[in-house]
Amino acid sequence: MFEVILFLIPSSLIIIGALIVIFAKNPVHNAMGLVMTLVSIAIIYITLNATFVAMVQMLVYAGAVMTLFLFVIMMIGVDKKEQSKESIKGQTFLVSGVFLILISTLVYVAISSEFRWDLWFDAVEFTVEGTPQLIAGTLFTSWIFPFEIISILLIVATAAAIALAYDTQRKKEDA
Amino acid sequence: MNNISEILGINFVVIGPTLVLLFTTIVLLFCTITISTPVYIKKLITFLGIIATLFSIFLKFGLFARDGITSYFSEKILLDEFSLVGNVLIGLVLFLTFNSFWKTSEEIDSKTTEALILILMSASGFLLMVDAENFIMLFIGLEIGSISLYALAGLNRGDQLSNEASLKYFLLGSLASCILIYGIALLYVSLSISGVYETSIAISFIGPENVPLTSFIGLIMIIVGLLFKVAAAPFQAWAPDVYQGSPTGYVGYMASVAKVASFIVLARLSAVSLRFILEKFNLFFGTVIILSVLLGALFATNQNDIKRLMAYSGVIQSGFILSGISSGVLGISASIFYLITYIIQLIGVFTVFSIISGQLSSNFEISNLSGLGKENKFLTLTFSTFMLGIAGLPLTSGFVSKFILITNLWSYEKYLIVIVLMLSTVAGFYFYLKPIWVAAIEKSDNSVEKIKISISDKFLLGFMATLTIYFGLLPDTLVNITQWMIENYL
């Protein structure tokens, strides 16, 4: 019973957050709805015993990515009127068609499997104590080289960003 | 300590080239941030870095001669014939394009160091990609290489076309990376493997007949991600715009290095991982080859911009190289021969373009070449050699490579592909000879003025043109190298 409650509360919060993202008029409210969704997903990860993934979810998505979103919203300006004009021809029609197909596939799979939820994989009793230790164990032994190499990726991304962004700033100073 | 590093397989010789390039970039970065260094010292540092990279690639041969095919860093890095040839080719590309990318970087003043860092880093990324045994390692290497190339394409910020090229390359390239990583995940889900050799072991263990559908889809997605980088046909949409928009001095490097790394990885996949199930991909590869050869020839005929023409020609050549790689081990040797001769001609052609039209230019119409032969005999001669080589005229390496490839395909009984490849070669003569006609033979009033060529450019162009002719007359040294490459996989 306790597990069901632990599942139901965050999952309903996820859906409410997603609905806020879609329907709220104010962009800041949209962003906050997204934060709600992401945090609730992190709670579900914890109930599934994946503490490391939950922490990464909180730090990266709810922390860093959402801050970026808010930065962009603040830069563009909150009070700007929403542009709800269709930019692609027949956008509504296409999206609703894809949505209908998705829903009907889901319903078909659910009905044909007689509402069993373990479609492909059998339910397993899988309890691992403390995933961070396990991840660190492999990450710092057999995966040490890829782990270190990612630092080159970071340097490259930084250098690329500076190389592309630097020029415009100089021009502004000149003008 | 020693014991642990032995268990983990840590070996610094095998990643030597990457480390040297990394060290060079850090020295360059240091020179820029702290002390204001004169430009010629930066040039010296870069050049010495490239020479040291070539030397450390040479050291890997010694390791290979002692230990044979071995994996290092607990099965993340592989040292085999493919990685050695890939390393040498990438080092060669760096060396041959050094002159043009240096001059381009010098012209983008205030961003010289950034450009150099991006180039050296992308080379180190592609070196890692060629060395990778694990697919995750391959992905990281590919990303390091591609992200630098995305930025290089748009480095000329004042140019509209350059910005467009960078954005287009970035968006489509990220999509291809997504497909690649999704394929790796699917393969891992279906067989719990993520390595080149692990794949072939797993397939031979469960039997080629029992390979699950998910792993097939995963493998095809990995191949699609790599085919995107070489601009084979259904995935070629980015190539013309990127070639046209990027600074001309960089295009030779960008095109050749991505092609080398992706084709070497594809060759290893075909020789090792897909060894037992290669026939099941015949339909997929056949479609890609025929589409790229036909679409490339179709679009290349009505291009006015010669850089776009070279992009579509690249699509055709990708089809050619892929046809050998997808047919079997002997075909791989023919394909590597083709690849080596093709990148030499490609770099040569783009060096000539960058000398004629300026390093940073984006547009380059065929009519800009008119009357080139009047004043610039040397440029016209080398340009014609490279173009004839790509077209596949006898006495050039292009003819020999096409000949070896098509005889191999014939012995694999792939008659349809042979016919299509021959047809596209015939069609190719039209659009490869047109620029030569405009440059050398056609009379025009406003001919290109005499262009001063530096000694190093002259040396490099002469070297590449000589190689093109030499491999056309005496191909046996290169054939022996490509034969040595596949000996263990027969």
Side-chain angles (χ1 to χ4, degrees):
Chain A
M1 192 59 210
F2 183 62
E3 277 177 11
V4 174
I5 292 170
L6 257 187
F7 172 73
L8 277 182
I9 294 172
S11 50
S12 49
L13 280 178
I14 290 173
I15 294 171
I16 292 169
L19 289 176
I20 291 174
V21 174
I22 298 171
F23 289 112
K25 290 280 180 215
N26 192 331
V28 179
H29 293 174
N30 292 122
M32 286 303 142
L34 198 53
V35 170
M36 191 165 139
T37 311
L38 294 172
V39 171
S40 320
I41 290 176
I43 295 170
I44 285 193
Y45 283 147
I46 292 175
T47 63
L48 291 174
N49 223 340
T51 38
F52 182 74
V53 184
M55 282 190 304
V56 170
Q57 170 91 8
M58 286 297 288
L59 281 175
V60 176
Y61 283 95
V65 174
M66 284 321 297
T67 318
L68 260 182
F69 264 118
L70 284 175
F71 257 128
V72 173
I73 290 169
M74 295 301 174
M75 251 162 74
I76 295 172
V78 188
D79 341 305
K80 258 190 194 161
K81 276 220 166 148
E82 197 185 352
Q83 289 181 333
S84 52
K85 241 165 84 183
E86 277 189 27
S87 51
I88 307 169
K89 217 177 166 190
Q91 201 175 14
T92 327
F93 179 71
L94 274 175
V95 170
S96 44
V98 171
F99 187 67
L100 271 181
I101 292 171
L102 273 177
I103 289 283
S104 47
T105 320
L106 262 180
V107 169
Y108 171 74
V109 170
I111 291 174
S112 65
S113 63
E114 293 165 351
F115 297 98
R116 278 187 297 112
W117 298 108
D118 47 345
L119 288 180
W120 288 292
F121 303 105
D122 300 327
V124 280
E125 282 295 318
F126 189 67
T127 46
V128 185
E129 286 303 320
T131 41
Q133 280 99 318
L134 274 180
I135 289 172
T138 43
L139 195 62
F140 294 120
T141 54
S142 65
W143 287 87
I144 184 76
F145 185 60
F147 179 74
E148 297 287 344
I149 284 303
I150 286 177
S151 65
I152 302 187
L153 190 60
L154 286 177
I155 296 177
V156 165
T158 320
I162 290 171
L164 286 180
Y166 186 54
D167 202 42
T168 45
Q169 269 191 340
R170 264 171 64 92
K171 264 183 194 159
K172 264 182 203 163
E173 277 168 23
D174 292 342
Chain B
M1 179 60 208
N2 210 8
N3 207 5
I4 292 171
S5 67
E6 223 164 78
I7 292 168
L8 296 180
I10 290 175
N11 188 323
F12 288 110
V13 177
V14 82
I15 53 163
T18 312
L19 290 183
V20 170
L21 284 174
L22 198 61
F23 183 71
T24 317
T25 44
I26 287 171
V27 170
L28 275 175
L29 208 59
F30 183 77
C31 285
T32 322
I33 295 170
T34 51
I35 351 156
S36 58
T37 323
V39 177
Y40 67 90
I41 288 188
K42 283 183 193 168
K43 186 173 185 178
L44 192 71
I45 292 171
T46 318
F47 189 70
L48 284 180
I50 291 172
I51 296 294
T53 312
L54 287 173
F55 179 71
S56 55
I57 290 169
F58 174 70
L59 289 183
K60 286 177 78 169
F61 276 90
L63 197 66
F64 181 73
R66 199 188 69 190
D67 294 346
I69 299 175
T70 326
S71 56
Y72 297 91
F73 293 97
S74 29
E75 301 185 351
K76 300 295 176 294
I77 293 286
L78 187 66
L79 183 64
D80 63 353
E81 291 93 339
F82 290 105
S83 76
L84 283 177
V85 171
N87 273 286
V88 170
L89 283 181
I90 291 172
L92 203 69
V93 167
L94 263 181
F95 183 75
L96 290 179
T97 51
F98 173 73
N99 228 345
S100 54
F101 77 62
W102 171 259
K103 269 193 257 165
T104 319
S105 312
E106 206 176 11
E107 253 173 65
I108 311 177
D109 47 273
S110 87
K111 279 202 259 182
T112 312
T113 327
E114 281 94 332
L116 290 174
I117 288 171
L118 287 175
I119 287 169
L120 296 180
M121 285 287 195
S122 77
S124 78
F126 283 120
L127 283 171
L128 282 174
M129 178 183 165
V130 163
D131 285 348
E133 176 174 5
N134 198 295
F135 287 132
I136 298 291
M137 203 59 232
L138 189 152
F139 178 73
I140 295 173
L142 180 73
E143 280 302 287
I144 294 173
S146 327
I147 285 179
S148 336
L149 292 191
Y150 304 150
L152 270 184
L155 217 50
N156 189 11
R157 283 300 302 273
D159 194 336
Q160 203 94 50
L161 278 172
S162 178
N163 290 347
E164 183 198 336
S166 176
L167 191 63
K168 217 168 233 176
Y169 199 10
F170 172 63
L171 290 177
L172 291 175
S174 325
L175 184 69
S177 298
C178 286
I179 293 174
L180 179 78
I181 193 84
Y182 190 47
I184 294 169
L186 269 184
L187 193 65
Y188 187 77
V189 163
S190 65
L191 294 174
S192 308
I193 46 169
S194 63
V196 177
Y197 275 90
E198 281 175 359
T199 312
S200 75
I201 292 170
I203 287 171
S204 61
F205 182 70
I206 58 174
E209 299 306 316
N210 304 327
V211 179
L213 184 66
T214 32
S215 43
F216 266 115
I217 298 172
L219 282 168
I220 283 188
M221 286 173 109
I222 293 174
I223 293 167
V224 165
L226 292 170
L227 285 182
F228 177 88
K229 292 288 163 212
V230 299
F235 324 107
Q236 97 288 19
W238 59 274
D241 290 320
V242 172
Y243 278 40
Q244 186 189 15
S246 314
T248 310
Y250 290 146
V251 182
Y253 172 76
M254 286 166 61
S256 48
V257 79
K259 277 203 166 76
V260 166
S262 306
F263 272 126
I264 294 279
V265 170
L266 274 173
R268 187 192 279 135
L269 274 179
S270 152
V272 178
S273 311
L274 306 181
R275 207 188 158 86
F276 306 108
I277 49 169
L278 196 58
E279 292 89 43
K280 297 188 178 174
F281 290 88
N282 269 350
L283 183 66
F284 172 72
F285 277 128
T287 323
V288 170
I289 292 160
I290 290 175
L291 263 180
S292 37
V293 167
L294 289 182
L295 276 183
L298 194 69
F299 285 117
T301 41
N302 60 356
Q303 295 301 329
N304 286 325
D305 191 301
I306 196 161
K307 281 164 82 182
R308 289 182 82 88
L309 194 154
M310 289 313 294
Y312 281 115
S313 127
V315 175
I316 300 173
Q317 311 300 331
S318 296
F320 268 88
I321 298 171
L322 197 63
S323 68
I325 283 178
S326 64
S327 58
V329 178
L330 286 171
I332 290 172
S333 130
S335 282
I336 299 297
F337 185 94
Y338 199 112
L339 179 67
I340 296 171
T341 55
Y342 173 59
I343 60 159
I344 290 173
Q345 292 147 6
L346 186 71
I347 293 171
V349 164
F350 275 106
T351 314
V352 173
F353 289 169
S354 63
I355 289 172
I356 296 172
S357 74
Q359 309 287 341
L360 286 178
S361 63
S362 52
N363 259 350
F364 191 43
E365 306 279 321
I366 292 182
S367 54
N368 291 9
L369 281 172
S370 65
L372 181 72
K374 224 176 197 175
E375 301 275 345
N376 307 287
K377 291 278 186 290
F378 180 73
L379 277 181
T380 318
L381 199 67
T382 47
F383 174 66
S384 314
T385 315
F386 298 135
M387 280 311 246
L388 291 176
I390 296 178
L393 208 74
L395 298 185
T396 60
S397 56
F399 173 74
V400 180
S401 53
K402 281 194 170 65
F403 180 78
I404 297 176
L405 189 69
I406 281 173
T407 44
N408 266 308
L409 285 180
W410 191 264
S411 67
Y412 281 115
E413 300 180 344
K414 299 202 162 181
Y415 303 121
L416 178 66
I417 290 177
V418 168
I419 291 166
V420 175
L421 292 187
M422 294 304 287
L423 278 177
S424 95
T425 311
V426 174
F429 276 110
Y430 167 68
F431 52 80
Y432 290 127
L433 294 187
K434 201 166 77 178
I436 299 180
W437 171 266
V438 171
I441 302 170
E442 199 181 45
K443 290 231 163 29
S444 77
D445 305 326
N446 46 348
S447 53
V448 182
E449 289 168 17
K450 186 156 180 60
I451 302 165
K452 228 179 144 222
I453 316 167
S454 62
I455 303 257
S456 48
D457 267 335
K458 238 178 197 169
F459 169 73
L460 279 177
L461 279 177
F463 179 61
M464 286 185 274
T466 317
L467 277 185
T468 305
I469 302 284
Y470 176 78
F471 289 141
L473 296 173
L474 303 162
D476 32 338
T477 36
L478 200 54
V479 169
N480 281 340
I481 291 173
T482 54
Q483 287 288 339
W484 163 81
M485 208 177 139
I486 53 139
E487 253 169 20
N488 282 335
Y489 302 92
L490 279 172

